[in-house]
Amino acid sequence: MYEGVNASDGIGIGVARVAVEPDLSFTPHPVEDAAAEKGRYEEARARFIEMTDKQIESMQARGLVAEAGIMGAHKEFAEDDGLIEQITADIDAGKCAEQAVKDAYDMYYDMFSAMEDELFRERAADIADVRTGLLAFLLGQELVDLSSLPENSIVVVSELTPSMTADIDKDNVAAIVTETGGRTSHAAIICRALEIPAVLSVEGATKNITAGALCIVDGGKGTVIVDPDTDTLSTYRERAKALAEEKAALEAFRGIPTKTADGIEKLLVANIGNPSDAAGALEHDCEGVGLFRSEFLFMDATELPSEEEQFAAYQKVALAMKDKPVIIRTLDVGGDKEIPYMDLPKEENPFLGYRAIRYCLNNPEEYKVQLRALLRASAYGDIKIMVPLVTCIDEIRKVKALVEECKKELDARGIAYNPNIEIGTMVETPAASLIADVLAAECDFFSIGTNDLIGYTMCADRGQDKVAYLYNPYQPAVLRSLQRIISEGNKAGIMVGMCGEAAADPLFIPVLIGFGLGEFSVSAPSILKARRIISLWTKEEADALVEKIMQYKTDAEVKAALQAAAK
Ligand code: PEP
Ligand code: MG
């Protein structure tokens, strides 16, 4: 078995087609007629542009707008004035067209590969692609054509370039395996858009996987099994079939409102960690963002991100989501979330210690940087502020007072913000649950963080295997807590959502409908699945289920009842 980057989910079973790259080696030749040599270069460039135009057209015809955009950027590297000038000048100076093309594109490739920003680095692949195309045409070589493959092909290539994928007829390709590329590479973006399972960066794939070998590619796990035994093959065939059926059925839930079977509307939003996740969440048909874990911005940095940096990140999400709601959680540091440069003291009980809102309120000037950035972004969309690890009302009052100070500071600077920005509590501690009525009276919304709430309620560390048997939402103690939080929030007339993993648990969704939860915030790939389950239950059925399970005394009985009731 080979392992690589799990770039695009799904299982592909088929025969390996190892696409060998064209032989681009050449011996530089002396140039006697520079004009004729420039003519060869121009002809190769014209053929390359013609080929790219066809690919763009074919992508547009298949509705692959973003991918056609990538090819357009690709074309720009063939039409770039700087490159053309350098190549023609080199030919005038005596270089052959092949050498001039290679030198110029090598220089650009090196420049882009050395850039700090991963997205810019990934553009180096486009430059290599144009270089390959131009050289192949100059040398009279054929480019790898993935459009004429037999059915169920597992494409194995050293590097999957955008032009290779341009003509792919997705019905022919069961999966893709490459030797290069990360999750943000164009190859990964295109594979995901085409929904072709893909494992990237498998070392030595084109040498170790022989053409014609039967392969299983598990894009979700990032594994490639070559020549599987019959048991493995039939297990994967079953899994692939089940996945395909499930996925096809879920498409019926795209683009429709999220409603229970009796028409009660729910909000179905996504959990994200980075501004760039917003696009993926929208692709999965989210109705907004229910939890933006802002600490990822802090984790990815080497020092505290400035107001400008944070503003840019929050604004990006606000703009991407247009008028859809975006709940941004303020810095949740400590416990299981370490930010090394912040140098928080080591503690015996980090989950009960100096973390999240406790740290922020103790460092108000630092916290205000984030609050100002959030306020500024609120001028560009429906941004809401969520406070993590709340245990008493004082914390909410202090946050509100700081937000008011920040508003005055922005007024003084003449900067716009939403003066009515909503401030809500992440309900994830037993204390917050017990004073839900008090918090609801002074908050604009609740979002229940079951990941921590279960841990704190059951005194069971969410990462500790030995106590995992205690850590689940079916525990009667957890159920009572959730019922209380939701009913207190509803009584106060505020929105009550859930952003912990339990919101996406298919068994648990009817319980949450019965409790009266209004918003479900789940990971992007769970959105259609959650919409489907919500659509299957009426409030009356969910209420009956809740009444039944609230009488049970053990989590095992609750879970068994939910399994029996599952639709
Ligand atoms: C939670 O605690 O449920 C939650 C959603 O936040 P995190 O997992 O980031 O602690
Ligand atoms: Mg939490």
Side-chain angles (χ1 to χ4, degrees):
M1 185 167 80
Y2 301 100
E3 287 186 23
V5 173
N6 54 337
S8 179
D9 282 356
I11 291 168
I13 302 173
V15 175
R17 313 283 163 195
V18 184
V20 185
E21 307 282 324
D23 178 8
L24 300 177
S25 59
F26 63 91
T27 314
H29 56 267
V31 175
E32 273 144 33
D33 183 349
E37 197 64 8
K38 280 191 276 188
R40 287 185 62 229
Y41 162 57
E42 273 312 319
E43 194 193 320
R45 218 167 62 78
R47 283 186 62 192
F48 180 81
I49 290 168
E50 187 192 343
M51 179 186 84
T52 310
D53 280 337
K54 271 196 201 139
Q55 289 167 334
I56 292 173
E57 222 174 87
S58 128
M59 282 179 157
Q60 281 167 342
R62 282 181 279 149
L64 302 170
V65 180
E67 295 68 23
I70 291 174
M71 292 305 296
H74 198 177
K75 196 175 137 186
E76 279 169 24
F77 283 118
E79 291 176 329
D80 182 87
D81 286 340
L83 278 158
I84 296 173
E85 254 170 54
Q86 186 179 333
I87 292 165
T88 47
D90 278 359
I91 296 174
D92 282 332
K95 275 188 195 173
C96 67
E98 288 86 346
Q99 192 65 51
V101 164
K102 185 174 178 317
D103 289 351
Y105 281 90
D106 280 356
M107 195 188 91
Y108 269 57
Y109 180 86
D110 291 346
M111 198 167 77
F112 274 78
S113 309
M115 286 185 179
E116 285 241 321
D117 189 310
E118 194 188 345
L119 283 174
F120 275 115
R121 271 203 317 276
E122 300 287 3
R123 297 298 79 80
D126 296 331
I127 295 165
D129 210 14
V130 182
R131 177 183 59 194
T132 302
L134 292 176
L135 283 177
F137 285 128
L138 280 168
L139 295 163
Q141 297 269 337
E142 280 308 306
L143 287 172
V144 179
D145 177 10
L146 297 181
S147 62
S148 59
L149 289 163
E151 240 185 287
N152 288 329
S153 291
I154 303 282
V155 173
V156 184
V157 281
S158 156
E159 183 170 4
L160 183 76
T161 58
S163 67
M164 279 185 195
T165 51
D167 285 333
I168 273 190
D169 173 1
K170 68 184 253 189
D171 298 339
N172 283 342
V173 182
I176 290 173
V177 180
T178 72
E179 292 175 334
T180 55
R183 275 192 66 87
T184 56
S185 63
H186 277 161
I189 295 169
I190 292 178
C191 289
R192 285 199 289 270
L194 295 171
E195 298 191 48
I196 297 176
V199 179
L200 309 187
S201 284
V202 177
E203 223 182 295
T206 57
K207 284 185 202 76
N208 298 331
I209 302 174
T210 34
L214 185 64
C215 295
I216 299 171
V217 177
D218 187 335
K221 272 205 202 140
T223 55
V224 182
I225 302 170
V226 181
D227 292 328
D229 57 44
T230 34
D231 280 355
T232 310
L233 190 60
S234 64
T235 309
Y236 270 93
R237 285 223 159 101
E238 289 291 312
R239 278 189 53 201
K241 196 169 155 231
L243 276 179
E245 285 168 3
E246 204 179 290
K247 205 162 145 216
L250 286 179
E251 281 306 305
F253 293 88
R254 185 181 291 281
I256 59 167
T258 307
K259 279 187 192 164
T260 58
D262 51 343
I264 304 171
E265 291 221 9
K266 301 288 178 189
L267 196 62
L268 183 53
V269 288
N271 292 347
I272 64 170
N274 272 300
S276 51
D277 296 342
L282 284 166
E283 260 171 46
H284 281 95
D285 210 21
C286 74
E287 296 162 15
V289 170
L291 168 65
F292 176 173
R293 290 179 160 100
S294 72
E295 56 277 3
F296 282 94
L297 293 179
F298 292 69
M299 287 176 186
D300 288 347
T302 48
E303 55 181 14
L304 288 174
S306 66
E307 183 182 314
E308 282 310 315
E309 284 166 326
Q310 291 192 53
F311 164 62
Y314 307 145
Q315 184 201 36
K316 188 171 170 189
V317 179
L319 291 174
M321 289 292 152
K322 303 214 166 78
D323 293 330
K324 296 183 168 80
V326 176
I327 298 181
I328 303 185
R329 173 174 76 188
T330 63
L331 180 63
D332 186 19
V333 64
D336 52 342
K337 302 174 185 93
E338 244 196 275
I339 301 179
Y341 61 82
M342 287 180 71
D343 257 345
L344 288 184
K346 287 266 168 280
E347 297 183 49
E348 289 229 344
N349 289 305
F351 275 92
L352 302 183
Y354 186 46
R355 56 171 299 203
I357 193 56
R358 301 164 182 193
Y359 171 88
C360 291
L361 288 177
N362 206 38
N363 294 276
E365 288 311 313
E366 231 172 70
Y367 193 37
K368 278 168 65 183
V369 172
Q370 181 167 39
L371 295 176
R372 279 193 303 269
L374 288 167
L375 277 167
R376 285 173 59 185
S378 72
Y380 297 87
D382 186 10
I383 299 257
K384 302 173 200 283
I385 297 175
M386 177 153 73
V387 187
L389 209 79
V390 170
T391 51
C392 53
I393 191 70
D394 290 344
E395 289 162 337
I396 289 295
R397 289 181 181 162
K398 284 181 184 158
V399 173
K400 285 186 165 183
L402 289 176
V403 170
E404 288 310 311
E405 277 179 36
C406 291
K407 286 181 182 172
K408 289 205 184 87
E409 288 164 11
L410 292 179
D411 287 340
R413 286 159 61 189
I415 296 179
Y417 58 85
N418 170 12
N420 302 317
I421 191 165
E422 292 187 13
I423 299 175
T425 293
M426 172 126 188
V427 186
E428 55 182 342
T429 66
S433 165
L434 289 164
I435 58 159
D437 50 338
V438 179
L439 291 167
E442 296 188 32
C443 280
D444 296 310
F445 64 91
F446 279 169
S447 182
I448 307 172
T450 47
N451 304 347
D452 276 314
L453 184 66
I454 296 171
Y456 285 126
T457 302
M458 299 306 296
C459 294
D461 186 335
R462 61 200 259 193
Q464 163 63 269
D465 281 358
K466 291 243 163 38
V467 295
Y469 70 99
L470 292 168
Y471 184 97
N472 69 66
Y474 319 120
Q475 293 286 357
V478 176
L479 292 173
R480 281 168 170 66
S481 183
L482 294 176
Q483 190 176 39
R484 172 180 170 72
I485 299 163
I486 298 169
S487 89
E488 290 300 335
N490 284 342
K491 252 195 264 171
I494 61 169
M495 188 205 78
V496 186
M498 179 177 286
C499 56
E501 293 300 307
D505 176 349
L507 291 183
F508 209 59
I509 286 175
V511 179
L512 297 173
I513 294 173
F515 284 164
L517 192 78
E519 178 234 51
F520 295 70
S521 191
V522 303
S523 68
S526 303
I527 289 172
L528 295 184
K529 235 181 267 177
R531 188 172 288 144
R532 174 182 163 269
I533 295 176
I534 291 170
S535 78
L536 296 175
W537 290 81
T538 63
K539 177 76 165 81
E540 203 183 332
E541 289 166 338
D543 283 346
L545 184 66
V546 163
E547 205 185 317
K548 185 165 162 191
I549 62 159
M550 290 309 276
Q551 287 166 25
Y552 293 132
K553 297 186 175 59
T554 68
D555 61 325
E557 287 167 292
V558 171
K559 190 170 179 188
L562 296 181
Q563 278 168 331
K567 299 191 183 192

